[in-house]
Amino acid sequence: MRVMCWQQLRQAERDFNRQMITSMFDPQQLPQMTGADVVNALAENFDYFYILSQANTQSRRSRAGKEFELILALMLACCEIPVDMQFFLGTGLRKKAVDLVVPDLSTCSNSQQPQCMFALSAKTNLRERWQEVVTEAKQAQVKELYLLTLEPKVSIATIANLAHDNIFLVTSIANKQKWPVNAYQDHVLTFEELIQRINEALCSIPWSQIPTQTKQAASKYMYGLCQKTTDLPYVQHLYSTWGLRFENLALR
């Protein structure tokens, strides 16, 4: 899916850059210009191309991160797991936006004291950025945080530092097999293992013991997520299904 999105982005970039470069020339004068004239015009506007290149690079970085989050949300939706994006956790001025949250019922029924079942942070690459996640976890005041990444190489020191702060690394099967996991097996999961862990937590919820008011609030919360994801029909359908599920549970 990421390859497909990348191909679409490259085509959009080509079209955009072609339009921007063409706009530099007067359409009426262009037919009379020689090759040397065009080369000179391009050379004189080198700063223009430098700025354009910087804009393309920044756009790629921004898009890559958001794209990864959306793909993860879609992956969870395919497994019928409800997820809230860019959810603020913590208190007061220390509130921090977490990329993805699988909400528990206290989150659904009491937005003034947000909690979560699973807090997920998405980073396509780590390098030194894993330190940002440690700060995020502390500001969000979560007991544990799951860092989802596609980074092909991670040092044992990075894994150890994250494990020390109860941050779990989540990646592909291929990456996990290459990483120096060693004594930190419990703190490195595959995407499949994370989904299994979330599903086990969802299945352990004692639905019959939950107050009707909480179920109604949860239903309203899920329907609210429907309105936030109108650009993701499949994910929107998931929230609608969960909203109806809580609604039916409240009638029992």
Side-chain angles (χ1 to χ4, degrees):
M1 184 178 290
R2 293 196 76 227
V3 172
M4 180 186 67
C5 292
W6 171 248
Q7 291 173 344
Q8 292 176 347
L9 173 61
R10 289 297 302 275
Q11 185 57 52
E13 275 188 356
R14 292 190 192 98
D15 294 340
F16 172 73
N17 291 334
R18 187 179 297 112
Q19 292 177 5
M20 295 301 293
I21 294 173
T22 302
S23 67
M24 294 173 54
F25 301 95
D26 186 336
Q28 295 180 346
Q29 296 181 359
L30 194 57
Q32 284 77 42
M33 294 180 68
T34 65
D37 292 334
V38 173
V39 171
N40 289 333
L42 295 177
E44 290 175 1
N45 289 276
F46 175 79
D47 289 346
Y48 176 84
F49 290 105
Y50 179 71
I51 294 172
L52 181 61
S53 177
Q54 282 186 315
N56 286 333
T57 300
Q58 187 59 38
S59 176
R60 287 183 182 183
R61 289 174 179 169
S62 176
R63 178 176 174 128
K66 190 63 178 178
E67 174 188 277
F68 187 42
E69 291 175 24
L70 292 174
I71 290 175
L72 292 173
L74 182 59
M75 177 185 73
L76 294 169
C78 289
C79 299
E80 296 190 354
I81 295 174
V83 60
D84 199 350
M85 302 181 68
Q86 290 295 312
F87 196 94
F88 282 88
L89 296 173
T91 57
L93 297 176
R94 293 178 61 83
K95 277 192 173 183
K96 181 67 179 178
V98 178
D99 294 329
L100 301 163
V101 164
V102 176
D104 64 7
L105 294 183
S106 62
T107 298
C108 299
S109 59
N110 187 359
S111 60
Q112 298 303 312
Q113 295 179 345
Q115 300 177 34
C116 63
M117 182 177 293
F118 289 88
L120 314 178
S121 179
K123 304 284 186 188
T124 52
N125 299 303
L126 291 185
R127 298 186 181 90
E128 299 302 318
R129 297 185 65 199
W130 63 268
Q131 298 176 9
E132 300 174 6
V133 181
V134 174
T135 302
E136 288 177 10
K138 292 178 179 178
Q139 290 182 340
Q141 299 176 22
V142 292
K143 294 181 179 179
E144 55 187 36
L145 186 142
Y146 293 80
L147 171 55
L148 287 68
T149 182
L150 299 175
E151 180 65 56
K153 295 182 179 180
V154 177
S155 69
I156 185 65
T158 297
I159 297 175
N161 284 325
L162 290 171
H164 175 74
D165 288 289
N166 219 21
I167 297 173
F168 296 80
L169 276 166
V170 184
T171 190
S172 66
I173 294 175
N175 280 348
K176 183 177 178 180
Q177 291 174 342
K178 292 185 295 183
W179 289 0
V181 177
N182 298 343
Y184 300 97
Q185 287 281 351
D186 293 342
H187 277 80
V188 179
L189 308 175
T190 64
F191 294 118
E192 292 82 358
E193 289 170 338
L194 173 63
I195 290 171
Q196 181 180 355
R197 182 172 293 192
I198 294 174
N199 277 326
E200 289 174 352
L202 289 173
C203 290
S204 68
I205 296 176
W207 300 110
S208 60
Q209 301 175 22
I210 298 171
T212 298
Q213 184 177 2
T214 301
K215 296 173 184 175
Q216 292 173 337
S219 177
K220 182 179 179 181
Y221 182 88
M222 291 301 164
Y223 284 135
L225 291 182
C226 283
Q227 304 304 315
K228 292 173 60 176
T229 54
T230 53
D231 55 338
L232 298 170
Y234 192 95
V235 178
Q236 186 180 36
H237 174 72
L238 167 73
Y239 295 143
S240 178
T241 301
W242 272 91
L244 181 60
R245 186 179 301 175
F246 282 123
E247 195 173 301
N248 291 334
L249 284 169
L251 296 175
R252 295 179 184 177

